[in-house]
Amino acid sequence: MLGVRGSLICFMGSSSPEYAKLNIMHELRIMHDMFKIIEEAAKENNLKKVTAVSFMLGEACHIVPEFFNTAFDIVKENTIASDSKLTIEVIPIKMLCKICNFEFAIKEEEYACPKCRSLYLVLISGKELVIKNIEGE
Amino acid sequence: MEVKIMRNVLDKNQDKADENKKILRESNVIMLNLISSPGAGKTTILESLCNNMAARFNIGVIEGDAYTDRDAQRLAKFGFPVVQINTEGGCHLDSFSINKALGELPLEQLDIVVVENVGNLICPTSFDLGESYRVAILSTTEGDDKPAKYPMVLRDADIVVLNKTDLLEHTNFNLDNFKSDLRKLNPLIPLFEVSAIQGHGMEMLETWVSSIILGTK
């Protein structure tokens, strides 16, 4: 989980909800778009209430899952999902080597193929900000 | 009841970014997205580019700031069109605000649009604006550990500009460490070492900008 440690320190230093809101501005913005999708899906499927949301969070998005949960709890109030629980699955940064087809997770921020040392890599996971499913009744 | 969704939350931003790309392509205009921390020198670099390239190219500027139009005022003196976007505290620009700003620019008269994103090394990275090239700007006074701390901005950038090289001797910035960390992260990325205020190295950056503009003509 490189790249997110700095933010975690801010989070630990803040106790008031207002301060927390300022710190998670970015997450709140993403959450706003997420709730639009949740509300659309609930409407399409005639759900009166959403009880659970399952989410895939890519490590490359530099979002701390705890922040994301806080943002979710702030935004869910007075929505169809006000009593729901968010489950976050963190997806590691994985690359595919275009030369030898080896798939590997990034360690210590070194972007070279561990097998053949090639630099021609494509990202295959780690940028997810994906709503997997919702549960409701 | 379980409802399968499998949708990326940024899908709508991506769709609008693709639309922006199309608008730019149809008008034959290149767009740069400048990303840096606050104070790394985005506006100063942009001032220098506007000043030195005004005779050859028509530049449009989109200024993203959380508050105020101070940067837009700094750039207005060059006589190029400048659109100010205030995000009201928001930490990044998105493709919707850029779409609106592009609508306000006389694209048919322009060669290049430069977007100065909100000063921030994390949030703008996730939001494609539809830019042709992403430019990461770092500065020697920020320390040499930025590649290690903010890998994604450098992984996703097309070029890196290291600004304030004139201050190098007054800082503990280790250029070798910086380059080796950057190379691990993005081995092929071009690095421009400049001092925008003194003008050092800016002609190389101007050559790069000219070449990408001329490449589309």
Side-chain angles (χ1 to χ4, degrees), chain A residues 33-65:
Chain A
D33 290 343
M34 176 160 154
F35 269 78
K36 272 195 215 155
I37 298 175
I38 293 172
E39 280 172 351
E40 264 172 41
K43 204 175 164 194
E44 276 169 26
N45 292 279
N46 296 316
L47 297 181
K48 300 226 158 33
K49 199 171 139 187
V50 174
T51 53
V53 177
S54 155
F55 194 78
M56 295 200 288
L57 178 62
E59 253 186 353
C61 301
H62 294 327
I63 291 177
V64 185

Side-chain angles (χ1 to χ4, degrees), chain A residues 3 7 25-26 29-30 33-34 37 40-41 45 47 55-56 60-62 93 95 108-111 119-121 127-136, chain B residues 1-10 12 88-92 94 122-124 126-127 147-153 155-156 181 184-188:
Chain A
S7 314
M25 178 61 99
H26 180 57
R29 204 17 249 289
I30 290 173
D33 290 343
M34 176 160 154
I37 298 175
E40 264 172 41
N45 292 279
L47 297 181
F55 194 78
M56 295 200 288
C61 301
H62 294 327
I93 303 174
M95 309 296 289
E108 298 184 354
E109 306 304 330
E110 189 173 10
Y111 285 75
L119 307 174
Y120 295 95
L121 314 173
K127 286 206 170 171
E128 292 77 3
L129 281 171
V130 173
I131 307 177
K132 271 165 82 178
N133 56 54
I134 57 173
E135 280 171 49
Chain B
M1 180 185 169
E2 189 183 302
V3 179
K4 197 178 165 207
I5 299 182
M6 283 312 255
R7 264 180 69 187
N8 193 307
V9 174
L10 300 183
K12 282 186 179 145
E88 314 219 324
C91 47
H92 59 264
D94 62 22
I122 293 187
C123 312
S126 299
F127 289 79
K149 282 185 174 167
Y150 302 93
M152 268 308 138
V153 66
R155 185 68 205 163
D156 287 346
D181 283 353
K184 270 210 265 176
L185 207 57
N186 199 336
L188 306 172

Side-chain angles (χ1 to χ4, degrees), chain A residues 19-94:
Chain A
Y19 196 67
K21 262 190 197 179
L22 280 176
N23 268 333
I24 57 168
M25 178 61 99
H26 180 57
E27 288 77 2
L28 284 173
R29 204 17 249 289
I30 290 173
M31 202 53 76
H32 181 73
D33 290 343
M34 176 160 154
F35 269 78
K36 272 195 215 155
I37 298 175
I38 293 172
E39 280 172 351
E40 264 172 41
K43 204 175 164 194
E44 276 169 26
N45 292 279
N46 296 316
L47 297 181
K48 300 226 158 33
K49 199 171 139 187
V50 174
T51 53
V53 177
S54 155
F55 194 78
M56 295 200 288
L57 178 62
E59 253 186 353
C61 301
H62 294 327
I63 291 177
V64 185
E66 287 88 334
F67 277 32
F68 211 64
N69 254 313
T70 307
F72 184 84
D73 288 340
I74 291 172
V75 177
K76 77 178 182 186
E77 275 180 42
N78 302 318
T79 72
I80 191 166
S82 58
D83 289 324
S84 64
K85 191 178 174 316
L86 175 70
T87 312
I88 299 171
E89 180 190 347
V90 176
I91 310 291
I93 303 174
K94 274 196 176 162

Side-chain angles (χ1 to χ4, degrees), chain B residues 173-189:
Chain B
F173 189 97
N174 185 318
L175 196 55
D176 292 334
N177 289 354
F178 172 79
K179 283 182 183 171
S180 108
D181 283 353
L182 179 64
R183 291 292 162 236
K184 270 210 265 176
L185 207 57
N186 199 336
L188 306 172
I189 196 165

